[in-house]
Structures are given as structure tokens and as C-alpha cells.
């Protein structure tokens, strides 16, 4: 007994490539195998491999491949500060230069018909850790003396600051944040850097006691207090001398902005 099955004409498209063949296979998968184009790995076909041969004889084969890639991304270094007991206050030294590190990740990339269709991160790790930049700041207190119109003064720190001035009429009140009545000799400072009741000397102004704050007084700024009767306008940079003796180390802000 002989069973005869007529073959059919098929057109198999693989990307830009076209293969013409004939087959009497029962399914698309069998026809592709007979044509020397078996489905492998993640390959797909349209119609699917288990489907019967299409009526129009058109089969599309999509080769699916995967590739592992290693991607790198820079990792910024941090900035750290380190006290230097042998370096004078307000001096800085570079203890260690910073170096970038990088992270790495393993990515599985899927291509269908030569076109990327999926990208999945499988693992990520720090390949090279960054090296922090370390800046050393001086904590050594050195007492110095300077001659002023008011006589010699001894100081432990000198900071360039921008000086302005105010009086009760300009702020609408005569009581400072410390509770003292506003007058010449009391100044407003940024208490994040200069604690209340710090004694200072400002050339052209005289002795100054940190006793007030102000919304616009930030960082290297000092607001010189006056009464309304002796008010003098200030708008200039001046050296501000911090008078001896120096306060305990736990009350000193070592790094000015």
C-alpha cells in the first residue's frame, strides 16, 4: 500500500533573505528542518512551528540570538576632611587626591532578526571603588599681635569678611537676639560659624561682640551694630580679628565657608 502526499511550494523569509522550496511536511517546524533551516534556541516562526503549512505558502523565520555585554559607569569620589594638628588654623593641605571608580553590569541583549528587542541587567557590582579626596585643615592655634589705632591687640584668627552696618531704626527694634540692647560694639554674625559672645576686632570699628543674628547675615558676613545717634554706613571687605584667648576646641568651627 502506497500513500502519496503532494508537496507544496513554500517561500521562507529570513530577514532580507528569501528561500524557495517545496515540502510535504505536516507542520511548519518540519518544513523548516527539511529546508535546512531548523529552529534553534529562541528562534521563532510565523506561523508557529507546530502549525500546519500555511495556505499561502509564506513562512517567516526569525533568528533570535543573545549576547552578553559588560557596561561601565563612572562612580564619583567623595570629599572628606581631616584635622591636621601641625598646620595653622584656616590653612588647608591636600592629603589625598580623589580618583573616580566605576561600576560594572552584565547585560543580556536579545536580537530578533538582527535587531535589538530586549536588554536585561543580570548583575551589577563595583568594579573599582572610588578613592576619596581628603582635604586636611589646620587646627593649630597661633597667637599673633597686630598694631591698631586702638593699640596692640592679640588675636588667634583673622578672617576676611564683608561688613555692613545697622541700627535700631533700620531693623525696627533695639534688642538683639542675645537679649542685649543694640549699640556700637555689638554685631550680628552667622552663628553656624561664630558663636554668640565671641570677641573680635574690626579695623575702623573697634572691638565687637557677637550678640545678634540676621536673615541676610551668612558665612563670611558681619553686620556692625550702632545706635541711631552714632550710625555709620558700611559696605566693604575687612579683616576681622578674633581676640585672644581662643575658645576651647569644641567651640571652634575650623572651616569657614
Amino acid at each position: 500500500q502506497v500513500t502519496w502526499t503532494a508537496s507544496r511550494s513554500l517561500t521562507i523569509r529570513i530577514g532580507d533573505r528569501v528561500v524557495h522550496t517545496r515540502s510535504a511536511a505536516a507542520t511548519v517546524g518540519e518544513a523548516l528542518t527539511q529546508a535546512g533551516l531548523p529552529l534553534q534556541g529562541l528562534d521563532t516562526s510565523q506561523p508557529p512551528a507546530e502549525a500546519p503549512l500555511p495556505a499561502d505558502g509564506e513562512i517567516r523565520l526569525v533568528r533570535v540570538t543573545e549576547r552578553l555585554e559588560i557596561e561601565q559607569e563612572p562612580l564619583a569620589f567623595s570629599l572628606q576632611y581631616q584635622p591636621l594638628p601641625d598646620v595653622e588654623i584656616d590653612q588647608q593641605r591636600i592629603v589625598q587626591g580623589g580618583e573616580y571608580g566605576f561600576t560594572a553590569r552584565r547585560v543580556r541583549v536579545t536580537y530578533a532578526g538582527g535587531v535589538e528587542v530586549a536588554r536585561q541587567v543580570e548583575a551589577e557590582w563595583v568594579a573599582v571603588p572610588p578613592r576619596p579626596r581628603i582635604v586636611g585643615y589646620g587646627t593649630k592655634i597661633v597667637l599673633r599681635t597686630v598694631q591698631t589705632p586702638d593699640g596692640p591687640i592679640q588675636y588667634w584668627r583673622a578672617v576676611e569678611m564683608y561688613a555692613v552696618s545697622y541700627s535700631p531704626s533700620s531693623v525696627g527694634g533695639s534688642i538683639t537676639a542675645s537679649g542685649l540692647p543694640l549699640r556700637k560694639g555689638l554685631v550680628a554674625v552667622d552663628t553656624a560659624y561664630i558663636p554668640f559672645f565671641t570677641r573680635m576686632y574690626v579695623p575702623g570699628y573697634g572691638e565687637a561682640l557677637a550678640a545678634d543674628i540676621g536673615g541676610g547675615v551668612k558665612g563670611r558676613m558681619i553686620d556692625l551694630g550702632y545706635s541711631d545717634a552714632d550710625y555709620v554706613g558700611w559696605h566693604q571687605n575687612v579683616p576681622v580679628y578674633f581676640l585672644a584667648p581662643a575658645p576651647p576646641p569644641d567651640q571652634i568651627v575650623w572651616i569657614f565657608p
Side-chain angles (χ1 to χ4, degrees), residues 62-75:
V62 179
R63 293 296 190 194
V64 179
T65 58
E66 290 184 327
R67 186 174 70 185
L68 290 177
E69 295 182 358
I70 301 297
E71 297 179 346
Q72 296 180 354
E73 186 172 327
L75 195 58

Side-chain angles (χ1 to χ4, degrees), residues 79-85 87-88 90-96 133-139 254-255:
L79 176 61
Q80 299 177 6
Y81 289 94
Q82 175 181 309
L84 300 177
V87 176
E88 190 171 348
D90 295 327
Q91 301 296 317
Q92 294 187 351
R93 302 285 188 274
I94 301 300
V95 177
Q96 175 177 286
R133 178 183 176 90
I134 301 177
V135 177
Y137 59 90
T139 60
W254 299 104
I255 302 175

Side-chain angles (χ1 to χ4, degrees), residues 108-175:
R108 184 176 296 274
V109 185
T110 303
Y111 299 88
V115 177
E116 182 180 325
V117 295
R119 181 176 289 261
Q120 181 180 1
V121 177
E122 293 189 338
E124 187 169 358
W125 65 97
V126 176
V128 176
R131 191 169 182 246
R133 178 183 176 90
I134 301 177
V135 177
Y137 59 90
T139 60
K140 182 179 181 180
I141 300 298
V142 178
L143 296 181
R144 301 185 187 278
T145 301
V146 63
Q147 291 291 335
T148 75
D150 301 306
I153 61 168
Q154 192 175 49
Y155 67 96
W156 59 275
R157 184 180 219 171
V159 177
E160 187 82 6
M161 301 182 73
Y162 184 68
V164 294
S165 56
Y166 72 118
S167 65
S169 62
S170 65
V171 294
S174 60
I175 302 300

